[in-house]
Amino acid sequence: MPANRFNGFTDYGVGVGLRIPHYNHIFSRKPVVDWFEIISENFMVDGGRPLAVLDQILERYRVVQHGVSMYFGSADKLNRQHLRRLKTLVRRTGTPWLSDHLCWGSADGRYSHDLLPMPYTFEAAKVTARKIREVRDFLEVPVIVENVSSYAEFHISEMTEWEFLNEVVERADCGILLDVNNIYVSSRNHSFNPGHYLDAVPPERVAQLHIAGHSTFEKYILDTHDHPVIDPVWALYERAIERCGNIATLLEWDQNIPTFEEVHTEARKAEKYLTAPASA
Amino acid sequence: MKLAQLQRQMLADVMRPLAPGHTIAKATTAAYIKPNHRLTAPERLEIYNRQYWFRLADSLRDDFPGLLRVLGERAFRKLAVAYLNECPSRSFTLSDLGRSLPGWLARQVPCSTLAVEMAWLEWAHVETYDAADSPPLGPEDLASLTPGLPLRLQPHIRLLRLHYPVDDIRLGNLSVRAAKKRQPADICLATHRVDGGVFYRRLEPGEFALLQKLSADKPLSQALRGFTGSPQDLQRWFAAWAQLGWLCCPIK
């Protein structure tokens, strides 16, 4: 199950996010890393250091693109300039699949630069799925969608988040980037059982997993990617691996970034679960 | 409520300024966001509201550290809120967030020339950082150039005419206070890139004028029309530009 049509029939192991504070370490020490995930938007430029760094990384490592601003769920039309630039980058990296979030973030051409939560309606699922298909057809690469952490719910929602996810991926016939930390964060913010979410996800569509740390406040949890992964999230991860198999996994650490060794060591804790039999 | 209508309403609430007097409308928010047992609907919305302002203000701070020094923390924060209210992001990338800031700042009353010039320098810095580059012409290429052939400047070069030494402030060589005491003077400057790093280079006025013409894709013969400097100046400038790789292949 790890290699499937949604991740380009690849069988990647445990990756880490490519982040600026680690460049020197990576180029001088050349650590063995299964793969790097890049934030597409950071490299959708015409030249300079970002592309020089990327080309150096591509000489040695496998790279997968992850986006933060496609906003599949926005009622706005897709931004053609964005798509063209993204396609240029897709050709450069040879990414076997491309991920972005199941969210919205712009309206009438104005951008929030945030991952805003979807109303779980059939109308929204239809709009979102249509845009995922358009993006995939334009980019000619498998597109997978990631569940986001959320802090608000809407009166107009007609289903649960996991039902909405399933509705979208079925309509779009696309894969899922399952973020188990996001499931945990949202489960705490909206008082649902994260196990129910996990069990409802179609395992055959899961193409990649995300793990991360978060910050706990008095009345809610915030997805900050600035801590190690906590045990309840590892437990969810273990359950996800049991259901989906040895899926390509990435640790996200985006703020208060420690040394590369610390991040990589934290990520490689996932191998303990990946090397276990795929199903109990 | 339709998807587009909900998103329009929520985005307007997310973008509402955090400053006192701009509270999130309780009735409006409660109409589309559910409360839970810990947070009211406006409180849930406020999480996104705060993140919006923190994220975008941080991005402006990253791109305009010199302007922050010129204005100070409080004035910069006020400026960021006013700017983002009038010029919300219309690009998928945060890198474009400050594109309209220098022009917007220049239209404000009262307006500090020093601050405006710092903003122009810092936006040029942002553009220079990840603009394209073309294969540079070497000395041997320059030797075989014909006067009618247009030359191109490297796409990462930006030319600025200034009155305050904002480059020195940005580089930490001069304090804001000392710069303010100086009499305004003509300063010609280029931002450019070497080995991925952004550098500033002061230019002679004649050199600046010639580069401006070349940046408009004028053929060399046209660019030199009206040039009153010495052949030695030209030789010196071309040698420096060739060394820096500033000139690139003529347009075919």
Side-chain angles (χ1 to χ4, degrees):
Chain A
M1 204 181 296
N4 58 40
R5 65 189 173 102
F6 304 113
N7 58 24
F9 298 101
T10 56
D11 196 2
Y12 285 13
V14 177
V16 292
L18 182 66
R19 299 293 179 263
I20 292 171
H22 296 157
Y23 285 176
N24 281 344
H25 179 93
I26 294 165
F27 292 135
S28 60
R29 305 284 182 84
K30 302 178 177 58
V32 176
V33 182
D34 287 349
W35 56 287
F36 281 110
E37 187 183 78
I38 62 164
I39 302 297
S40 298
E41 286 78 359
N42 294 346
F43 299 92
M44 288 161 66
V45 294
D46 294 326
R49 184 166 282 163
L51 292 185
V53 165
L54 179 60
D55 288 344
Q56 258 185 289
I57 291 289
L58 285 166
E59 281 174 18
R60 183 172 284 269
Y61 298 101
R62 300 185 291 197
V63 165
V64 176
Q65 284 182 227
H66 180 54
V68 293
S69 61
M70 186 55 74
Y71 297 149
F72 295 122
S74 280
D76 279 1
K77 283 183 186 166
L78 288 166
N79 179 329
R80 306 309 291 185
Q81 187 208 4
H82 184 175
L83 279 176
R84 278 192 294 273
R85 297 185 81 138
L86 189 55
K87 189 162 188 171
T88 302
L89 186 64
V90 163
R91 286 179 173 153
R92 192 177 199 114
T93 63
T95 186
W97 72 90
L98 178 137
S99 60
D100 208 312
H101 300 82
L102 184 53
C103 72
W104 68 282
S106 62
D108 303 323
R110 296 188 307 164
Y111 284 76
S112 69
H113 300 283
D114 200 353
L115 309 174
L116 300 176
M118 294 299 299
Y120 306 133
T121 65
F122 289 100
E123 182 208 2
K126 205 169 151 185
V127 167
T128 307
R130 190 186 66 233
K131 289 174 77 174
I132 294 169
R133 282 179 177 275
E134 278 178 42
V135 172
R136 182 182 56 214
D137 292 348
F138 185 84
L139 298 179
E140 300 174 295
V141 67
V143 170
I144 66 174
V145 291
E146 176 181 356
N147 57 301
V148 298
S149 288
S150 65
Y151 316 105
E153 299 163 292
F154 300 100
H155 289 299
I156 61 168
S157 286
E158 298 163 324
M159 59 192 104
T160 63
E161 184 185 336
W162 50 94
E163 286 167 343
F164 181 76
L165 174 65
N166 289 348
E167 185 73 22
V168 169
V169 297
E170 286 295 328
R171 280 176 182 268
D173 190 23
C174 71
I176 297 170
L177 193 180
L178 194 64
D179 189 317
V180 291
N181 177 59
N182 287 349
I183 292 178
Y184 179 81
V185 169
S186 294
S187 76
R188 293 285 303 274
N189 289 336
H190 308 313
S191 305
F192 63 76
N193 182 334
H196 291 167
Y197 191 133
L198 210 52
D199 291 345
V201 171
E204 71 280 5
R205 287 193 182 274
V206 177
Q208 188 194 329
L209 295 167
H210 266 175
I211 45 176
H214 54 255
S215 298
T216 304
F217 297 93
E218 191 188 338
K219 293 182 177 179
Y220 60 93
I221 298 184
L222 206 55
D223 182 31
T224 45
H225 298 178
D226 60 352
H227 285 86
V229 181
I230 64 167
D231 287 342
V233 173
W234 280 123
L236 280 178
Y237 177 72
E238 183 173 19
R239 191 159 165 173
I241 291 296
E242 280 169 8
R243 290 199 74 233
C244 308
N246 289 352
I247 294 292
T249 298
L250 182 114
L251 171 74
E252 296 183 292
W253 203 315
D254 299 318
Q255 293 180 60
N256 303 325
I257 302 175
T259 64
F260 180 84
E261 284 104 332
E262 282 177 77
V263 173
H264 198 203
T265 302
E266 183 67 14
R268 292 190 64 187
K269 288 179 185 171
E271 289 171 357
K272 184 171 82 179
Y273 307 98
L274 284 175
T275 51
S279 57
Chain B
M1 194 184 254
K2 288 288 194 191
L3 182 66
Q5 192 188 351
L6 180 142
Q7 293 183 342
R8 200 170 289 131
Q9 177 65 58
M10 182 165 172
L11 193 66
D13 287 336
V14 165
M15 290 180 165
R16 217 171 285 278
L18 291 173
H22 291 277
T23 51
I24 289 173
K26 283 182 188 166
T28 322
T29 315
Y32 65 92
I33 288 183
K34 279 186 191 175
N36 66 12
H37 64 282
R38 292 182 299 265
L39 296 166
T40 64
E43 283 171 339
R44 295 183 109 179
L45 199 280
E46 268 174 23
I47 298 171
Y48 291 103
N49 184 219
R50 280 197 298 272
Q51 290 195 114
Y52 170 77
W53 286 104
F54 293 159
R55 179 177 293 113
L56 270 63
D58 277 355
S59 176
L60 288 177
R61 292 167 72 98
D62 287 347
D63 287 346
F64 296 93
L67 184 59
L68 174 62
R69 290 219 308 272
V70 169
L71 297 177
E73 184 67 46
R74 183 183 287 194
F76 186 87
R77 211 178 312 136
K78 266 179 75 175
L79 169 142
V81 171
Y83 170 66
L84 292 170
N85 270 330
E86 281 187 46
C87 309
S89 174
R90 293 199 170 270
S91 166
F92 64 88
T93 168
L94 269 176
S95 310
D96 287 337
L97 192 62
R99 181 177 298 282
S100 306
L101 181 62
W104 175 86
L105 191 57
R107 293 192 298 274
Q108 303 308 298
V109 182
C111 154
S112 146
T113 306
L114 176 65
V116 171
E117 292 190 348
M118 179 60 88
W120 280 119
L121 172 69
E122 296 196 301
W123 182 248
H125 186 116
V126 168
E127 289 195 319
T128 294
Y129 177 71
D130 56 17
D133 46 11
S134 300
L137 290 177
E140 64 286 356
D141 301 310
L142 289 172
S144 60
L145 279 179
T146 57
L149 219 50
L151 284 174
R152 270 186 69 199
L153 278 192
Q154 281 292 355
H156 57 74
I157 294 173
R158 297 290 180 274
L159 301 169
L160 298 163
R161 191 180 277 280
L162 307 163
H163 301 92
Y164 288 94
V166 287
D167 50 341
D168 285 335
I169 301 174
R170 179 62 143 78
L171 294 168
N173 298 332
L174 186 70
S175 71
V176 174
R177 181 177 289 189
K180 280 178 177 169
K181 282 181 185 163
R182 291 201 181 171
Q183 286 298 313
D186 274 346
I187 296 170
C188 298
L189 189 81
T191 61
H192 66 114
R193 207 166 61 217
V194 179
D195 293 334
V198 177
F199 292 84
Y200 309 146
R201 182 166 179 264
R202 293 274 181 107
L203 304 168
E204 296 169 49
E207 185 184 16
F208 181 84
L210 191 50
L211 285 169
Q212 269 193 317
K213 289 178 183 172
L214 292 176
S215 73
D217 285 343
K218 293 248 171 81
L220 190 55
S221 55
Q222 272 189 40
L224 287 171
R225 203 169 288 160
F227 176 72
T228 54
S230 69
Q232 289 81 4
D233 284 343
L234 273 185
Q235 206 171 13
R236 191 161 43 82
W237 297 337
F238 269 87
W241 301 341
Q243 197 177 10
L244 290 164
W246 279 16
L247 302 171
C248 45
C249 300
I251 299 161
K252 299 268 195 256

